[in-house]
Amino acid sequence: MNEITKPETDAAAILQIRKIGNSLGLILPKELLAQLDFAEGDKFQVVLQPGGGVRLKPYDDLHARTMAIARKAMKQYSGALRELAK
């Protein structure tokens, strides 16, 4: 799983938010990108972890579409699901 655990060097552990055009962003060192198996143009999700940490995981379009369908169904059938949960 692509997860930042403990960087190999202190330099890889410290990132700074920078202005990039009209936006803000992070510059990831090549070594860290290689360790995570990410390349330019890859999409990833940032998952907030308990205790304030974050986890980077590759973006999965199929998973995102499946979750959108599930959320729609749960909203549409919320009453039935509530009854089933009793």
Side-chain angles (χ1 to χ4, degrees):
M1 184 70 52
N2 293 339
E3 185 174 340
I4 297 177
T5 51
K6 183 177 179 188
E8 294 177 12
T9 66
D10 288 338
I14 300 171
L15 301 176
Q16 183 177 7
I17 298 174
R18 299 181 182 269
K19 185 172 174 90
I20 302 172
N22 291 329
S23 301
L24 298 175
L26 291 172
I27 306 294
L28 301 176
K30 287 182 181 181
E31 299 81 23
L32 182 58
L33 287 172
Q35 193 176 19
L36 295 171
D37 197 26
F38 287 150
E40 183 178 349
D42 287 351
K43 293 181 180 181
F44 61 90
Q45 291 178 299
V46 178
V47 180
L48 299 177
Q49 299 290 298
V54 295
R55 179 176 170 212
L56 301 179
K57 59 185 252 180
Y59 176 74
D60 183 353
D61 186 53
L62 176 60
H63 177 72
R65 289 183 305 196
T66 303
M67 289 304 295
I69 292 168
R71 284 187 192 97
K72 183 178 177 182
M74 287 186 284
K75 185 176 181 179
Q76 183 176 357
Y77 298 106
S78 62
L81 292 171
R82 221 180 343 271
E83 287 297 316
L84 289 170
K86 291 182 181 179

